[in-house]
Amino acid sequence: MSELVLLAVGIVVAAFVGVNIGGSGTGVAFGPAVGSELVSKMVAGGLMSIFVLVGGWTIGRRVVDTLGVGLLRGDPFTLRTSIVILFFIGGALFVSNVLGVPASTSMTAVGSIAGLGIARGTLNVEIALEIVAWWLVAPIAGFWVSAVVGRYWYDRLASWLAIDRSGGSLVHVDRSGRIPTIRVAPGATRREVTGAGVVIAIACLNAFSAGASNVANAVAPLVGSGDLSMNAGVLVAALAMGIGAFTLGRRTLETMGNDLTELPLTAALVVSLVTSILVVGLSGIGIPASFVVIATMSIVGLGWGRATRLDHFPETPTERPAEIGAPVESGGAPGAIEESDGSLNVADLYEPETTARVILLQNAVPVVATIGSYTVFFTVPSL
C-alpha cells in the first residue's frame, strides 16, 4: 500500500475520531442552553465549531506536542503506528457508546500511545507520571470545588438563575441608525438576558475546552509522525469535530437538552464551569485532561455538598417561594430538595452504585486500550 493511500486512511480514521468527539461534546457543552431554549441546535453546532477551532488553534497545540512528541522518546511514530493508535481511540469511543458510559478519550489516547512506548522501550516515564499525577489531582479538585459550591452557594445561584422566560426573542437588532445595534427585545428583562448570556458563555467555554483538550486525541499521532503539520492537524481535527457537532451533535443535544431532570440547569452550569476551567488550565500546560472524569467527580462533589447541607436544615420544613431553578423543601421527608425545572434530590446527583460503575468503566476502557496497544506493537514489531 502506497504512503499516499496510507495517509488518506490515517486522515479518515482521525476524522472519524474527531466526528465522534464533536458529536458527544456538543451535547455536554450546549445541552443546558438548548434545553432552556436559549439557542437552537443549529446555532449550538455553529458555536461549538467556532470555539473548538479557537481552543485547538491556541491552547490545543500544546497538548498535541505532549502526545505527539513529548510522551515518547525519539521518533517512534510511523504512519502505520499512527493508524493503529487511532483505531484504538476510535474503538474505545465505539465501546463506550455501546455501554452507554462516556469514556475518557484523552485517557484512552494516552494509554494507546503509552502502550506503543512500553512495547518499544521509548516511553518518557517522567512525562507519563506527570500526566497521571494531574489525572489524580484534577478530579479531586473538581470534587471539592463543586462540594463547596453545593454546600454553601447552590441555593443562591439557583435563585439567581430562577428566570421566568417572557417568550420570544431576548434581543433584537436595531437598524434605525447608521450602525446596527443589539438591544433587549420588548418584553424581555435585562436580568433574563444576563442569565441567558451566562448560560451561553459557559457553553462556549465548554466548547473551547473541548478543542483545547481533544484536538490532540484525533491527530497527535499523525503530527508526531510528521505526516501532518501542526496547523493542518489542528484544522483536520477541528473540522471533523465541527461536522460531528452538526450531525451526531443534534442527537446528543436532543438527549441532553430535553432530559434536564437528571441534572438541573443550575447543577449543569456549576459542573460545566468547574470542569471547563480545570480542563483549560491543564491544556494550557500541555496536559491531556479528561473532561468526562472531572465532570463525573464534580457531579459527585456537588451531590455530596448538597447532602451535607441537609444536616443543617430544621426538622420541620419551612415553606419557601417556589421559583424556577430555586431549591425548596418539600412537604415530605425533612431535607428533600426539589427544583421546579427538575428534581434535585441528592440521589439524582450522587447515586453510589451508579457512580462506582461509571468510574470503573471510565478507567477500564483506557486500561484495555493500553494493554491492547502494547500487545499489538509487542507482537508485531514490523508496524
Side-chain angles (χ1 to χ4, degrees):
M1 188 179 294
S2 69
E3 292 296 307
L4 185 59
V5 174
L6 275 177
L7 178 58
V9 171
I11 292 175
V12 169
V13 177
F16 170 77
V17 174
V19 167
N20 278 275
I21 294 173
S24 61
T26 302
V28 174
F30 285 91
V34 171
S36 304
E37 298 182 353
L38 298 178
V39 296
S40 65
K41 293 177 184 177
M42 184 65 69
V43 171
L47 290 174
M48 181 73 180
S49 301
I50 293 170
F51 282 94
V52 159
L53 176 59
V54 175
W57 192 265
T58 54
I59 298 177
R61 57 184 65 230
R62 299 181 183 180
V63 185
V64 174
D65 278 334
T66 298
L67 293 185
V69 180
L71 187 57
L72 303 182
R73 296 190 303 271
D75 297 311
F77 287 112
T78 66
L79 192 49
R80 288 174 174 79
T81 59
S82 300
I83 292 173
V84 172
I85 289 172
L86 289 172
F87 266 117
F88 274 110
I89 300 172
L93 287 173
F94 176 77
V95 171
S96 66
N97 287 333
V98 170
L99 295 176
V101 176
S104 168
T105 311
S106 293
M107 292 175 69
T108 304
V110 171
S112 300
I113 295 173
L116 167 64
I118 296 171
R120 302 287 169 82
T122 58
L123 179 65
N124 191 328
V125 178
E126 182 179 349
I127 291 182
L129 290 177
E130 181 183 1
I131 292 173
V132 172
W134 280 112
W135 283 352
L136 296 175
V137 170
I140 294 173
F143 174 91
W144 282 110
V145 171
S146 298
V148 170
V149 172
R151 182 179 174 91
Y152 297 107
W153 297 320
Y154 187 91
D155 290 349
R156 195 172 301 171
L157 290 172
S159 177
W160 186 80
L161 289 171
I163 303 170
D164 293 324
R165 290 297 307 277
S166 57
S169 300
L170 297 180
V171 296
H172 76 284
V173 179
D174 184 359
R175 295 184 174 84
S176 58
R178 286 186 176 182
I179 302 175
T181 57
I182 299 178
R183 302 184 183 278
V184 177
T189 64
R190 291 189 178 276
R191 182 168 181 261
E192 184 181 4
V193 174
T194 302
V198 170
V199 174
I200 296 172
I202 293 177
C204 292
L205 177 61
N206 280 341
F208 179 88
S209 70
S213 62
N214 283 323
V215 159
N217 299 327
V219 295
L222 294 175
V223 174
S225 66
D227 293 290
L228 282 181
S229 66
M230 177 68 76
N231 289 345
V234 171
L235 289 175
V236 167
L239 177 61
M241 291 174 69
I243 293 173
F246 279 104
T247 54
L248 299 179
R250 300 181 69 86
R251 183 174 181 180
T252 58
L253 283 170
E254 186 69 27
T255 300
M256 297 294 292
N258 293 335
D259 199 13
L260 291 179
T261 55
E262 293 184 3
L263 197 63
L265 177 61
T266 304
L269 295 179
V270 169
V271 170
S272 296
L273 183 59
V274 170
T275 304
S276 294
I277 290 174
L278 287 171
V279 169
V280 170
L282 290 178
S283 299
I285 59 175
I287 301 297
S290 172
F291 190 98
V292 169
V293 174
I294 298 174
T296 299
M297 293 307 297
S298 295
I299 292 172
V300 175
L302 187 62
W304 183 81
R306 296 299 295 159
T308 58
R309 175 73 175 87
L310 299 182
D311 296 336
H312 299 273
F313 284 173
E315 293 185 1
T316 304
T318 56
E319 294 185 357
R320 302 182 199 169
E323 299 179 65
I324 297 178
V328 297
E329 295 182 32
S330 69
I337 301 174
E338 297 178 353
E339 285 190 6
S340 55
D341 67 342
S343 171
L344 186 56
N345 297 314
V346 172
D348 291 332
L349 291 177
Y350 173 49
E351 190 173 333
E353 292 183 3
T354 302
T355 301
R357 180 178 65 86
V358 169
I359 294 175
L360 176 63
L361 290 175
Q362 283 176 349
N363 288 276
V365 172
V367 169
V368 170
T370 304
I371 295 173
S373 174
Y374 169 81
T375 303
V376 168
F377 289 116
F378 184 78
T379 56
V380 188
S382 60
L383 281 176

